Amino acid sequence: MSDIIDRAQEEEMRIRAEALDRMRARPPEPGPLFIDGVACCRSCEEPILSARIKAKPGCSRCVACQGEVDLRSQFERA
Ligand SMILES: [Zn+2]
C-alpha cells in the first residue's frame, strides 16, 4: 500500500519539477504596448482594462488575446 503512495508522490514531484522547468524556460513578458501613454494589448492594440493591469502587473495582452495564446500553447505542448 505504501508503495503506491510512494510512487504517487514521486510522480507528483516529477510533474511539479517539469512544470517549474517550463515556467523558467518561458521568456519574461515584455509588458504592454504603450500608445499615447495607455497600456495596450500587444496582439490587438486595444487598451488593457485597468482591473487586469492591477490583477496582473506587466501583462502584455488583454484577457481575450491572452486566453487565445494560453489555449494555443496548451495545444502545442500536448
Ligand atoms: Zn488583445
Side-chain angles (χ1 to χ4, degrees):
M1 186 60 187
S2 66
D3 266 11
I4 294 171
I5 294 168
D6 283 350
R7 255 183 282 150
Q9 279 177 340
E10 279 169 22
E11 179 70 5
E12 194 198 334
M13 278 169 66
R14 192 184 58 79
I15 290 168
R16 274 173 199 247
E18 279 179 11
L20 277 172
D21 283 349
R22 269 202 303 273
M23 264 177 60
R24 290 197 194 100
R26 203 177 296 167
E29 284 200 59
L33 204 64
F34 283 97
I35 300 174
D36 293 332
V38 178
C40 294
C41 173
R42 283 194 179 266
S43 295
C44 66
E45 298 189 1
E46 290 293 321
I48 300 173
L49 295 177
S50 60
R52 170 153 170 77
I53 292 170
K54 257 185 224 159
K56 259 201 119 206
C59 61
S60 310
R61 292 179 189 85
C62 69
V63 174
C65 293
Q66 190 60 55
E68 228 172 87
V69 168
D70 288 348
L71 253 180
R72 218 173 293 149
S73 67
Q74 271 179 18
F75 279 115
E76 280 165 12
R77 245 181 269 145

